[in-house]
Each structure stands twice: as C-alpha cells, then as structure tokens.
Amino acid sequence: MAKRVVPETARRRRRPTKQGQVLTHGLIVETALRMLHEHGAAGLSARRLGLALGADASTIYRYFRGMDDLVLAIADELFGHAVNRFEPTGDWRGDLRELGLRIHHAYLAHPQAALLTASRVTGRPNEVAGDEMILGILRGAGFGDEDAVRIYHAFIDQSLAFSILDAATLALPPAAREADEEVWRDTYARLPATTHPHIAATAPLLVARMNDSAYPTALDMLLSSAEDQLTRSSGAVGQPARPPGAARPGSG
C-alpha cells in the first residue's frame, strides 16, 4: 500500500532543521536537484537527502510517498522551469520554437536530473499546463484535433528525447566528453577520400557541427513540416470535392 502523505499544513515543521531551514516541499525538491547535480542518481537517497537537509530521513516521507514520488516532483519542477512565465505571442511557429528551446534548455541545466526524469509522465500541474498550452497553440493555429495531437506528440517527444541525449553527453566525466569530441577531428577528419569519399568531402562541416546539439535543426524541420501541412490544408478549404473516381484536373 502506498504511504500516506501528510497534508502540507500538518507536516510543516514547527522548528528549523539543523541547517536552520524550515522544511517545505519546494526546499526538498531544490535540495534533491542539487544532490543530483553533484552526485548523480546513484547519490540520491532518503538518507543522504535527510543529511543534506539536517533532518531525519523519515521526514522525507511526510512530504512524498516514496523516492519515486520525489522523482516525479523533480520532473514537474524541471518542466515548470520551461513553461513558467511563458506567454504565447500568437505566432504559432515562433511560440512552439521558443517553447521547445526552453524545454531543452531547462533539462540541460540539470543533466543528471534530466536523465532521471525526462522519460517520465507525471500528470502534475506544470506538465499539464505545458501540454494544455502546446495543444492550445496548435488548435489556435488552425490544426484539426487529430493533427494537433499528432504534432504535439512529435514535438514533446522530440524535445525530451534530445534533452536525454544531450544531457547524457553533459553528464559524462569531462575527460570522456573531451575524448568523444576529439574523435571528429582526430579520426573522421583524417579518413582518406579513396576509402571514405563522402566523409572526406564533408569532414570540415562534420568537425564544425557534430559536437553541437542537433535539436534546433530537428525542431525547425518538424515545424516546417507542420507549417507545410497547415498551408496545404488551408488551400484545400473551399475546394469542391471530386466525385469518387473522377479524374484530377489536368490529368487528361
């Protein structure tokens, strides 16, 4: 059976912790984010979190049903960093591009937390607010509901997938990350045209681009595809339907 979480008013400590802080839901999430940054997922436990807060480990379970409940709270906090104070301008493509980049940036600011949380679905306020906003932008642009959901699905999964991919790179030990980056210059750029003509021809471009995230490019490609679809759909509005089996204009 899941552990009962004590209501906020009942669980609030009447006196500060050993660190001089009054425990709150937000303080625990903030401290957990810091621990993930410093020690990774393996270093996050109720015992260590309690020590960092100057409280008994059991205190964590007055605020969260378990460590997985805390992970979901961290996930929603990161999503909140992206969507809080974002106001759509009415330019649907520009708004989605900005929002996608904000999501990506919010996760990369906490790479260890991104690896732990970006694949989760929380159903919590920040996530729900973000999803409502994205769907509202798409429906407001004129996409039908089926297309709006399909594009939303691709948009959010793409942003989270690149967040995990790029966070994994940032989470590598510095020496390993630098060694990976040098492969493009030390290996790919030296391959001869006689055996690898296409790599040799594009080697300077590969060296210049491949250590940067492809997310902005992939995001633009997704939005261009959606824009083309919207343009085609708008152009078809008001066109008389062809009877079944009728030839297309100009096909004869």
Side-chain angles (χ1 to χ4, degrees):
M1 178 180 294
K3 296 182 179 180
R4 184 175 67 88
V5 176
V6 180
E8 176 74 26
T9 53
R11 70 193 179 207
R12 188 177 296 120
R13 288 175 62 99
R14 297 179 181 275
R15 56 188 176 80
T17 67
K18 295 175 183 177
Q19 311 296 346
Q21 304 174 106
V22 176
L23 283 187
T24 64
H25 182 280
L27 177 61
I28 295 172
V29 170
E30 178 186 335
T31 304
L33 274 172
R34 187 177 70 250
M35 292 182 65
L36 285 169
H37 176 74
E38 294 173 353
H39 307 293
L44 182 64
S45 68
R47 184 183 65 81
R48 290 183 176 181
L49 189 54
L51 287 173
L53 291 164
D56 190 87
S58 63
T59 305
I60 306 303
Y61 298 106
R62 292 176 60 85
Y63 292 80
F64 301 95
R65 293 180 176 85
M67 291 303 291
D68 193 62
D69 192 36
L70 173 59
V71 167
L72 295 178
I74 293 169
D76 198 53
E77 178 72 11
L78 291 183
F79 210 83
H81 291 178
V83 301
N84 287 346
R85 295 185 296 278
F86 176 78
E87 294 291 338
T89 65
D91 171 11
W92 73 266
R93 177 167 178 163
D95 287 341
L96 287 183
R97 190 178 197 279
E98 173 66 17
L99 192 52
L101 293 175
R102 285 170 66 112
I103 293 170
H104 187 247
H105 176 76
Y107 279 101
L108 293 198
H110 301 276
Q112 296 284 359
L115 292 175
L116 184 63
T117 66
S119 63
R120 303 301 299 273
V121 180
T122 73
R124 299 190 180 201
N126 291 321
E127 181 187 88
V128 171
D131 292 347
E132 174 70 9
M133 184 184 301
I134 296 165
L135 287 166
I137 290 171
L138 289 166
R139 296 181 78 236
F143 290 98
D145 289 352
E146 185 174 344
D147 286 335
V149 170
R150 181 176 57 83
I151 295 167
Y152 153 76
H153 187 189
F155 172 85
I156 197 66
D157 277 12
Q158 182 191 67
S159 63
L160 294 175
F162 270 100
S163 294
I164 293 173
L165 175 65
D166 295 336
T169 298
L170 293 177
L172 286 172
R177 186 168 69 247
E178 292 171 7
D180 283 1
E181 292 173 352
E182 290 172 359
V183 169
W184 293 103
R185 184 185 67 249
D186 295 344
T187 299
Y188 280 86
R190 296 182 179 183
L191 292 172
T194 53
T195 57
H196 300 81
H198 304 299
I199 291 177
T202 58
L205 295 173
L206 292 171
V207 171
R209 292 187 63 93
M210 294 305 295
N211 286 323
D212 295 329
S213 174
Y215 177 61
T217 300
L219 176 59
D220 285 336
M221 292 172 70
L222 172 65
L223 295 176
S224 291
S225 175
E227 187 173 42
D228 288 345
Q229 177 187 330
L230 185 61
T231 300
R232 291 194 301 271
S233 298
S234 300
V237 173
Q239 295 292 328
R242 296 194 313 275
R248 294 181 181 179
S251 63

